[in-house]
Amino acid sequence: MTPDLKPMDLNPAAMHPADSNFPAPASVDLKSMEIEELQALMREKNLPAFRAKQLFEWIHARRVRSYEEMTNLPAALRGELARDYPLPVAELADRQISRVDGTRKYLFRMPDGCLVESVFMRYRFGNSVCVSSQVGCRMGCRFCASTLRGLTRSLAPSEMLEQVYAISGETGERVSHVVVMGMGEPLDNYENLVRFLRLLTCPEGMNLSQRNVTVSTCGIAPNIYRLAGEGLHVTLALSLHAATDEQRRKIMPVAERWPIAELMKACEAYYRQTGRQITFEYSLIRGVNDSREDARGLAGLALPLRAHINLIPVNPVRERGFAHPDSGHIAAFKKELENHGVNVSIRRALGKDIDGACGQLRSRYTSGAGN
Ligand code: SAH
């Protein structure tokens, strides 16, 4: 197990991209491979190319959990694959089901013992899974439980897919939307994130619509530009949480490195290149970022980009001591934004009776360092 890394190193060289903290996989991970890569592997083994497509479909479209179930592959090949390329599967460690709205919170154990949280939510538009991109996080946002003990490691593409596959199998329901808003900073695990997005939306696999996928970032500007150039049409959500740099720096260490002006430029480039409307996430914290002036500043940032604003009453985390404003105050904040012509919604708090905030379920299971 890699030891927890220190809080984010603000040295620019260290920030770009930080995939180095992903440990070398113990074996070749077929579940993280694209079809062409599987084809190359089959060629190496002197096997016909169509075996690659069969394998890919078993893994990503039918989502079986073992080679044994891949009944159109010769038994000898199944045995060889099982020996040489163990399939990473997420084991269910715990599950909480909300009695209020059916939201399900999952804790998965990865093959090396790391614990990862994911959430299943039902909306009018379909079912959504919230995926973690890292075990822990090194971004240090003051209000967030995921970052309390730093980063243990980044997740492989297969481990992000597993969260979606395992939940779709366990619920027996179609998953139509995925949000990368669980533990971790997805743009701090860039290569693995992009591979995950390609596999998740691949027509021969789960075939999720790219438009139904959202990646949420605390604002690693260079990687917003990179993502804009990937040819993926996923929604980008920027965790803004403050309208001025001074205020943002008090709650988000990452703001020391990339000022809001730079993030707005990166979001503009993203919008221009992908045609996808940007979302700003704004966690309302009582007495910190909930004044009328804050709302005006936020409107000033959203309007030129035509960004949508998602207000999230901050979810209190025991170790943090922040509180959310009362509902009347939240409504007034929303009204102020609307008066400026901004498109805004208040995130419906789902699963209020279960460990709601990011990292909370996991933190009940882990104490001290480790997974
Ligand atoms: N690292 C990514 C994804 C993390 S969590 C990011 O920063 O965007 C998804 C969203 O939940 C982010 O906007 C994050 O700032 C917010 N969040 C984290 N802890 C929260 C809390 N206690 N209450 C409300 N929102 C929170």
Side-chain angles (χ1 to χ4, degrees):
M1 181 78 38
T2 40
D4 278 11
L5 298 182
K6 284 193 226 62
M8 189 183 65
D9 184 348
L10 295 170
N11 165 358
M15 280 309 299
H16 189 81
D19 298 327
S20 53
N21 47 297
F22 177 54
S27 57
V28 177
D29 173 6
L30 298 196
K31 204 180 255 184
S32 291
M33 283 189 179
E34 298 192 48
I35 295 181
E36 301 71 36
E37 293 165 324
L38 287 176
Q39 280 166 345
L41 186 73
M42 292 301 121
R43 258 198 307 278
E44 265 173 45
K45 294 182 172 297
N46 287 323
L47 288 165
F50 70 84
R51 293 283 178 224
K53 191 129 182 255
Q54 287 178 322
L55 199 52
F56 190 91
E57 283 174 356
W58 280 116
I59 297 174
H60 301 283
R62 305 175 81 155
R63 299 185 283 283
V64 298
R65 294 170 76 80
S66 71
Y67 292 106
E68 257 327 280
E69 296 162 79
M70 304 183 183
T71 45
N72 60 359
L73 299 186
L77 176 59
R78 279 186 266 158
E80 186 188 329
L81 292 172
R83 189 192 60 217
D84 297 343
Y85 310 100
L87 279 181
V89 286
E91 184 198 319
L92 186 63
D94 192 11
R95 188 189 64 178
Q96 295 182 343
I97 304 178
S98 164
R99 282 165 211 253
V100 184
D101 51 41
T103 294
R104 289 164 175 247
K105 188 135 192 176
Y106 295 87
L107 192 68
F108 291 113
R109 190 174 290 108
M110 293 304 168
D112 68 347
C114 278
L115 293 170
V116 170
E117 278 184 24
S118 327
V119 188
F120 172 83
M121 290 158 290
R122 289 200 187 90
Y123 292 97
R124 259 166 295 144
F125 54 75
N127 295 324
S128 178
V129 170
C130 175
V131 168
S132 290
S133 55
Q134 297 180 312
V135 184
C137 184
R138 60 177 180 155
M139 295 295 125
C141 298
R142 299 266 327 277
F143 44 84
C144 182
S146 303
T147 202
L148 286 170
R149 287 201 325 278
L151 175 71
T152 300
R153 69 170 176 90
S154 285
L155 292 175
S158 58
E159 294 174 311
M160 290 185 249
L161 289 168
E162 261 299 279
Q163 299 169 57
V164 183
Y165 295 177
I167 290 177
S168 115
E170 199 269 341
T171 58
E173 292 185 40
R174 199 176 105 82
V175 172
S176 56
H177 290 66
V178 164
V179 295
V180 190
M181 289 191 183
M183 290 192 308
E185 167 49 46
L187 297 191
D188 188 37
N189 183 20
Y190 186 84
E191 308 283 353
N192 291 329
L193 172 81
V194 168
R195 193 174 264 273
F196 160 70
L197 296 173
R198 291 199 197 291
L199 289 168
L200 183 70
T201 60
C202 178
E204 287 87 353
M206 183 123 187
N207 196 18
L208 226 78
S209 162
Q210 290 184 357
R211 294 171 177 277
N212 292 356
V213 179
T214 299
V215 173
S216 177
T217 178
C218 63
I220 298 182
N223 286 353
I224 296 179
Y225 286 104
R226 277 174 90 191
L227 192 63
E230 296 285 354
L232 290 163
H233 292 86
V234 300
T235 299
L236 183 75
L238 175 69
S239 296
L240 200 51
H241 308 320
T244 66
D245 285 320
E246 192 194 350
Q247 219 177 23
R248 199 164 186 264
R249 283 194 291 263
K250 287 188 189 146
I251 48 176
M252 301 177 73
V254 71
E256 304 278 351
R257 178 66 187 88
W258 290 290
I260 291 174
E262 219 171 296
L263 293 176
M264 293 304 111
K265 272 195 240 154
C267 286
E268 215 237 298
Y270 191 89
Y271 182 37
R272 198 166 4 93
Q273 270 179 270
T274 63
R276 303 293 297 152
Q277 187 186 25
I278 303 284
T279 297
F280 288 164
E281 286 162 283
Y282 196 93
S283 295
L284 278 165
I285 312 173
R286 188 192 297 166
V288 173
N289 62 1
D290 61 345
S291 72
R292 209 165 171 184
E293 206 188 335
D294 293 324
R296 288 200 199 112
L298 182 56
L301 295 173
L303 283 171
L305 269 169
R306 299 205 289 139
H308 177 89
I309 296 179
N310 226 327
L311 296 176
I312 318 162
V314 79
N315 215 327
V317 175
R318 200 173 359 103
E319 294 83 345
R320 294 308 201 195
F322 288 127
H324 55 72
D326 60 41
S327 53
H329 195 101
I330 295 172
F333 193 91
K334 178 171 185 256
K335 192 90 191 73
E336 183 69 30
L337 289 168
E338 282 167 343
N339 289 343
H340 284 82
V342 179
N343 181 331
V344 49
S345 51
I346 298 176
R347 168 126 15 117
R348 197 153 59 98
L350 291 176
K352 275 208 153 163
D353 52 333
I354 54 180
D355 291 305
C358 314
Q360 281 188 352
L361 179 58
R362 173 175 169 263
S363 64
R364 285 205 299 127
Y365 275 76
T366 52
S367 50
N371 344 310

